[in-house]
Amino acid sequence: MKIGIDIGGTNVRAGLVDIEGRVVDRVSAKTPSNEEPERLIELIISLCGQLGQAESVGIGAPGLIDHLNGIVRISPNLPKWRDVPLKALLELKLARPVKVANDVNSIAWGEFLFGAGIGSKDMLVITLGTGLGGALILDGKLHLGKSHMAGELGHSTFIKNGLSCPCGKRGCVEQYVAKNAIIRIAREKNPELKEVDPEIVAKAGHKGEKWAIEVYEEIGDNLARVLGGVIQLLNPDRIIVGGQISKAGELLFSPLRRAIINEIQPALRETFEIKKSALGNDAGIIGAAFLT
Ligand SMILES: [Zn+2]
Protein backbone atom coordinates (compact mmCIF):
# COMPACT_ATOMS: atom_id res chain seq x y z
CA MET A 1 0.00 0.00 0.00
CA LYS A 2 1.06 3.57 -0.72
CA ILE A 3 -0.20 6.87 0.59
CA GLY A 4 -1.02 9.71 -1.80
CA ILE A 5 -1.79 13.23 -0.58
CA ASP A 6 -3.31 16.10 -2.50
CA ILE A 7 -2.79 19.51 -0.90
CA GLY A 8 -5.56 21.72 -2.20
CA GLY A 9 -6.46 25.32 -1.51
CA THR A 10 -9.32 24.29 0.79
CA ASN A 11 -8.64 20.69 1.85
CA VAL A 12 -5.76 18.29 2.29
CA ARG A 13 -6.97 14.90 1.03
CA ALA A 14 -5.03 11.73 1.75
CA GLY A 15 -5.69 8.24 0.48
CA LEU A 16 -4.36 4.75 0.95
CA VAL A 17 -3.83 3.43 -2.57
CA ASP A 18 -3.40 -0.21 -3.56
CA ILE A 19 -1.06 -1.53 -6.24
CA GLU A 20 -3.79 -1.26 -8.91
CA GLY A 21 -4.35 2.41 -8.23
CA ARG A 22 -7.52 2.06 -6.19
CA VAL A 23 -8.11 4.36 -3.23
CA VAL A 24 -9.09 1.92 -0.48
CA ASP A 25 -9.24 4.33 2.44
CA ARG A 26 -9.27 8.12 2.70
CA VAL A 27 -9.10 10.96 5.20
CA SER A 28 -9.08 14.72 4.82
CA ALA A 29 -8.80 17.96 6.77
CA LYS A 30 -8.95 21.70 6.14
CA THR A 31 -5.74 23.15 4.68
CA PRO A 32 -4.05 25.44 7.24
CA SER A 33 -3.25 27.83 4.38
CA ASN A 34 -2.20 30.94 6.23
CA GLU A 35 -0.17 29.25 8.96
CA GLU A 36 3.51 28.43 9.28
CA PRO A 37 4.67 25.30 7.38
CA GLU A 38 5.00 23.28 10.64
CA ARG A 39 1.22 23.20 11.02
CA LEU A 40 0.61 21.51 7.66
CA ILE A 41 3.54 19.14 8.20
CA GLU A 42 1.99 18.02 11.52
CA LEU A 43 -1.33 17.57 9.76
CA ILE A 44 0.24 15.39 7.04
CA ILE A 45 1.89 13.21 9.72
CA SER A 46 -1.45 12.85 11.51
CA LEU A 47 -3.30 11.92 8.29
CA CYS A 48 -0.63 9.31 7.47
CA GLY A 49 -1.05 7.89 10.99
CA GLN A 50 -4.81 7.58 10.48
CA LEU A 51 -4.30 5.67 7.22
CA GLY A 52 -1.96 3.14 8.82
CA GLN A 53 0.82 1.10 7.28
CA ALA A 54 2.15 2.15 3.89
CA GLU A 55 5.50 1.66 2.21
CA SER A 56 5.80 5.23 0.89
CA VAL A 57 4.17 8.65 0.81
CA GLY A 58 3.70 10.90 -2.23
CA ILE A 59 2.47 14.47 -2.12
CA GLY A 60 1.07 16.75 -4.79
CA ALA A 61 1.29 20.42 -3.84
CA PRO A 62 0.31 23.53 -5.76
CA GLY A 63 2.98 25.94 -6.90
CA LEU A 64 6.60 25.76 -7.90
CA ILE A 65 8.06 22.49 -6.65
CA ASP A 66 11.59 21.15 -6.94
CA HIS A 67 10.63 17.56 -7.79
CA LEU A 68 14.08 16.06 -7.46
CA ASN A 69 14.71 17.38 -3.95
CA GLY A 70 11.09 17.59 -2.79
CA ILE A 71 11.27 21.29 -1.96
CA VAL A 72 8.22 23.57 -2.10
CA ARG A 73 9.71 26.76 -3.57
CA ILE A 74 6.58 28.94 -3.60
CA SER A 75 2.91 28.12 -3.47
CA PRO A 76 -0.03 30.43 -4.23
CA ASN A 77 -2.22 28.65 -1.62
CA LEU A 78 0.45 28.57 1.09
CA PRO A 79 1.73 32.15 1.36
CA LYS A 80 4.12 31.43 4.28
CA TRP A 81 5.86 28.62 2.44
CA ARG A 82 9.14 29.47 0.79
CA ASP A 83 11.83 26.87 0.02
CA VAL A 84 10.40 24.34 2.49
CA PRO A 85 12.27 20.98 2.22
CA LEU A 86 9.05 19.01 2.63
CA LYS A 87 10.50 15.66 1.53
CA ALA A 88 13.46 15.80 3.96
CA LEU A 89 11.31 16.97 6.89
CA LEU A 90 8.69 14.26 6.37
CA GLU A 91 11.19 11.45 5.77
CA LEU A 92 12.75 12.28 9.12
CA LYS A 93 9.42 12.03 10.93
CA LEU A 94 7.74 9.24 8.95
CA ALA A 95 10.79 7.02 8.39
CA ARG A 96 9.52 6.16 4.91
CA PRO A 97 10.43 7.38 1.41
CA VAL A 98 8.56 10.59 0.50
CA LYS A 99 8.13 12.17 -2.94
CA VAL A 100 6.81 15.66 -3.62
CA ALA A 101 5.52 16.95 -6.96
CA ASN A 102 3.47 19.77 -8.37
CA ASP A 103 -0.26 18.99 -8.05
CA VAL A 104 -1.00 19.05 -11.78
CA ASN A 105 1.98 16.77 -12.43
CA SER A 106 0.57 14.34 -9.84
CA ILE A 107 -2.83 14.42 -11.56
CA ALA A 108 -1.17 13.79 -14.94
CA TRP A 109 0.82 10.87 -13.54
CA GLY A 110 -2.31 9.33 -12.01
CA GLU A 111 -4.24 9.62 -15.28
CA PHE A 112 -1.27 8.25 -17.22
CA LEU A 113 -0.91 5.14 -15.06
CA PHE A 114 -4.53 4.33 -14.21
CA GLY A 115 -6.95 6.71 -15.95
CA ALA A 116 -7.63 8.37 -19.30
CA GLY A 117 -3.93 8.12 -20.20
CA ILE A 118 -3.67 4.31 -20.17
CA GLY A 119 -1.85 3.24 -23.34
CA SER A 120 -0.55 6.73 -24.07
CA LYS A 121 3.12 7.60 -24.51
CA ASP A 122 3.10 11.35 -25.16
CA MET A 123 0.33 13.34 -23.59
CA LEU A 124 -0.69 16.71 -22.29
CA VAL A 125 -2.96 17.01 -19.27
CA ILE A 126 -4.71 20.25 -18.53
CA THR A 127 -6.88 21.12 -15.55
CA LEU A 128 -9.52 23.78 -16.04
CA GLY A 129 -10.83 25.46 -12.92
CA THR A 130 -9.99 28.79 -11.33
CA GLY A 131 -6.97 28.71 -13.62
CA LEU A 132 -5.50 26.53 -16.35
CA GLY A 133 -2.88 24.04 -15.16
CA GLY A 134 -0.87 21.82 -17.44
CA ALA A 135 1.54 18.90 -17.29
CA LEU A 136 3.37 16.87 -19.89
CA ILE A 137 4.22 13.23 -20.14
CA LEU A 138 6.72 12.59 -22.90
CA ASP A 139 8.01 9.15 -23.82
CA GLY A 140 6.24 7.74 -20.77
CA LYS A 141 7.88 10.08 -18.28
CA LEU A 142 6.84 13.28 -16.55
CA HIS A 143 8.58 16.08 -18.41
CA LEU A 144 9.68 18.68 -15.86
CA GLY A 145 11.81 21.16 -17.81
CA LYS A 146 14.73 23.24 -16.57
CA SER A 147 12.99 24.70 -13.51
CA HIS A 148 10.23 22.09 -13.27
CA MET A 149 7.62 24.39 -14.78
CA ALA A 150 7.00 22.56 -18.06
CA GLY A 151 3.37 22.43 -19.14
CA GLU A 152 2.39 25.74 -17.52
CA LEU A 153 0.30 26.82 -20.47
CA GLY A 154 -2.05 28.98 -18.43
CA HIS A 155 0.28 31.94 -18.35
CA SER A 156 1.38 32.08 -21.95
CA THR A 157 -0.01 35.13 -23.72
CA PHE A 158 -3.34 34.80 -25.48
CA ILE A 159 -4.02 38.48 -26.14
CA LYS A 160 -1.31 41.12 -26.14
CA ASN A 161 -1.99 43.70 -23.41
CA GLY A 162 -5.16 41.81 -22.56
CA LEU A 163 -6.83 41.24 -19.20
CA SER A 164 -4.57 41.38 -16.17
CA CYS A 165 -3.73 38.10 -14.45
CA PRO A 166 -2.81 37.40 -10.78
CA CYS A 167 0.59 36.14 -12.03
CA GLY A 168 1.58 39.73 -12.78
CA LYS A 169 1.32 39.84 -16.56
CA ARG A 170 -1.49 40.62 -18.97
CA GLY A 171 -3.48 38.65 -21.50
CA CYS A 172 -2.71 35.18 -20.05
CA VAL A 173 -4.50 32.19 -21.54
CA GLU A 174 -6.24 31.33 -18.28
CA GLN A 175 -8.12 34.63 -18.36
CA TYR A 176 -9.78 33.41 -21.59
CA VAL A 177 -10.50 29.74 -20.91
CA ALA A 178 -11.00 29.25 -17.16
CA LYS A 179 -13.54 30.25 -14.52
CA ASN A 180 -13.28 34.05 -14.90
CA ALA A 181 -13.70 33.75 -18.66
CA ILE A 182 -16.88 31.69 -18.31
CA ILE A 183 -18.33 34.24 -15.89
CA ARG A 184 -17.36 37.19 -18.07
CA ILE A 185 -18.65 35.71 -21.33
CA ALA A 186 -21.86 34.52 -19.64
CA ARG A 187 -22.55 38.07 -18.44
CA GLU A 188 -21.96 39.40 -21.95
CA LYS A 189 -24.29 36.83 -23.53
CA ASN A 190 -26.96 37.10 -20.84
CA PRO A 191 -26.90 40.46 -19.00
CA GLU A 192 -29.97 39.41 -16.97
CA LEU A 193 -27.97 36.85 -14.97
CA LYS A 194 -27.81 37.46 -11.25
CA GLU A 195 -25.68 34.62 -9.99
CA VAL A 196 -23.18 33.02 -12.32
CA ASP A 197 -20.47 30.39 -12.10
CA PRO A 198 -19.31 27.65 -14.51
CA GLU A 199 -21.76 25.07 -13.06
CA ILE A 200 -24.77 27.39 -13.47
CA VAL A 201 -23.79 28.04 -17.09
CA ALA A 202 -23.24 24.31 -17.72
CA LYS A 203 -26.65 23.48 -16.28
CA ALA A 204 -28.32 26.06 -18.55
CA GLY A 205 -26.36 24.72 -21.52
CA HIS A 206 -27.48 21.16 -20.86
CA LYS A 207 -31.06 22.44 -20.80
CA GLY A 208 -30.45 23.83 -24.30
CA GLU A 209 -30.27 27.53 -23.47
CA LYS A 210 -28.56 29.18 -26.42
CA TRP A 211 -26.55 31.81 -24.52
CA ALA A 212 -24.99 29.11 -22.30
CA ILE A 213 -24.12 26.88 -25.24
CA GLU A 214 -22.44 29.88 -26.86
CA VAL A 215 -20.36 30.50 -23.73
CA TYR A 216 -18.86 27.02 -23.88
CA GLU A 217 -18.42 27.35 -27.66
CA GLU A 218 -16.29 30.41 -27.11
CA ILE A 219 -14.29 28.68 -24.37
CA GLY A 220 -13.81 25.63 -26.63
CA ASP A 221 -12.65 27.91 -29.45
CA ASN A 222 -10.14 29.72 -27.24
CA LEU A 223 -8.83 26.47 -25.80
CA ALA A 224 -8.47 24.98 -29.29
CA ARG A 225 -6.22 27.87 -30.32
CA VAL A 226 -3.92 27.15 -27.39
CA LEU A 227 -3.91 23.37 -27.80
CA GLY A 228 -3.32 23.65 -31.54
CA GLY A 229 0.14 25.04 -30.87
CA VAL A 230 0.92 22.24 -28.43
CA ILE A 231 -0.17 19.59 -30.93
CA GLN A 232 1.98 21.12 -33.65
CA LEU A 233 4.96 21.30 -31.29
CA LEU A 234 4.78 17.92 -29.55
CA ASN A 235 2.64 15.62 -31.71
CA PRO A 236 1.03 14.02 -28.65
CA ASP A 237 -1.21 10.96 -28.86
CA ARG A 238 -3.58 12.24 -26.19
CA ILE A 239 -4.85 15.39 -24.54
CA ILE A 240 -6.66 14.95 -21.25
CA VAL A 241 -8.86 17.67 -19.86
CA GLY A 242 -9.72 17.59 -16.15
CA GLY A 243 -10.70 20.01 -13.42
CA GLN A 244 -14.07 21.40 -12.35
CA ILE A 245 -14.90 22.95 -15.75
CA SER A 246 -14.37 19.66 -17.62
CA LYS A 247 -17.49 18.41 -15.81
CA ALA A 248 -19.50 20.36 -18.41
CA GLY A 249 -18.75 17.33 -20.61
CA GLU A 250 -19.77 17.49 -24.29
CA LEU A 251 -20.93 21.07 -23.86
CA LEU A 252 -17.20 21.87 -23.75
CA PHE A 253 -15.69 18.91 -25.58
CA SER A 254 -17.82 19.09 -28.77
CA PRO A 255 -16.89 22.69 -29.66
CA LEU A 256 -13.30 22.01 -28.59
CA ARG A 257 -12.96 18.98 -30.91
CA ARG A 258 -14.65 20.89 -33.75
CA ALA A 259 -12.47 23.97 -33.37
CA ILE A 260 -9.18 22.17 -32.98
CA ILE A 261 -9.37 20.76 -36.51
CA ASN A 262 -8.85 24.27 -37.86
CA GLU A 263 -5.89 24.93 -35.59
CA ILE A 264 -3.63 22.14 -36.84
CA GLN A 265 -2.37 20.99 -40.20
CA PRO A 266 -4.46 18.23 -41.85
CA ALA A 267 -1.77 15.54 -41.42
CA LEU A 268 -2.13 15.80 -37.63
CA ARG A 269 -5.90 15.52 -37.47
CA GLU A 270 -6.15 11.78 -36.82
CA THR A 271 -3.11 11.48 -34.58
CA PHE A 272 -4.53 12.24 -31.14
CA GLU A 273 -7.55 11.89 -28.91
CA ILE A 274 -9.03 14.47 -26.60
CA LYS A 275 -10.40 12.80 -23.47
CA LYS A 276 -12.03 13.84 -20.25
CA SER A 277 -10.10 12.89 -17.12
CA ALA A 278 -11.18 9.46 -15.86
CA LEU A 279 -10.11 9.62 -12.22
CA GLY A 280 -11.73 12.94 -11.31
CA ASN A 281 -10.79 14.24 -7.87
CA ASP A 282 -8.78 11.11 -7.04
CA ALA A 283 -6.25 11.58 -9.85
CA GLY A 284 -3.97 13.72 -7.66
CA ILE A 285 -3.98 11.25 -4.76
CA ILE A 286 -3.36 8.24 -6.99
CA GLY A 287 -0.65 9.98 -9.02
CA ALA A 288 1.11 11.25 -5.89
CA ALA A 289 1.14 7.75 -4.39
CA PHE A 290 2.93 6.43 -7.47
CA LEU A 291 5.48 9.22 -7.97
CA THR A 292 8.93 7.85 -8.76
ZN1 LIG B 1 -0.91 34.84 -15.80
Side-chain angles (χ1 to χ4, degrees), residues 154-155 165-169 172 174:
H155 300 285
C165 179
C167 79
K169 62 186 276 278
C172 289
E174 72 175 32

Side-chain angles (χ1 to χ4, degrees), residues 18 22 43 55 57 84 91 110 117 159-160 165 167 171-172 175 190 222 232 245 287:
D18 75 9
R22 286 178 299 228
L43 177 65
E55 69 203 53
V57 177
V84 177
E91 281 185 342
I159 294 197
K160 194 170 162 60
C165 179
C167 79
C172 289
Q175 300 305 319
N190 184 354
N222 291 349
Q232 290 291 147
I245 292 170

Side-chain angles (χ1 to χ4, degrees), residues 39 58-59 116 124 149 167 170 177 191 212 225 229 237 277:
R39 183 66 202 87
I59 297 174
L124 168 73
M149 287 180 75
C167 79
R170 303 185 73 93
V177 300
R225 268 179 56 196
D237 54 60
S277 80

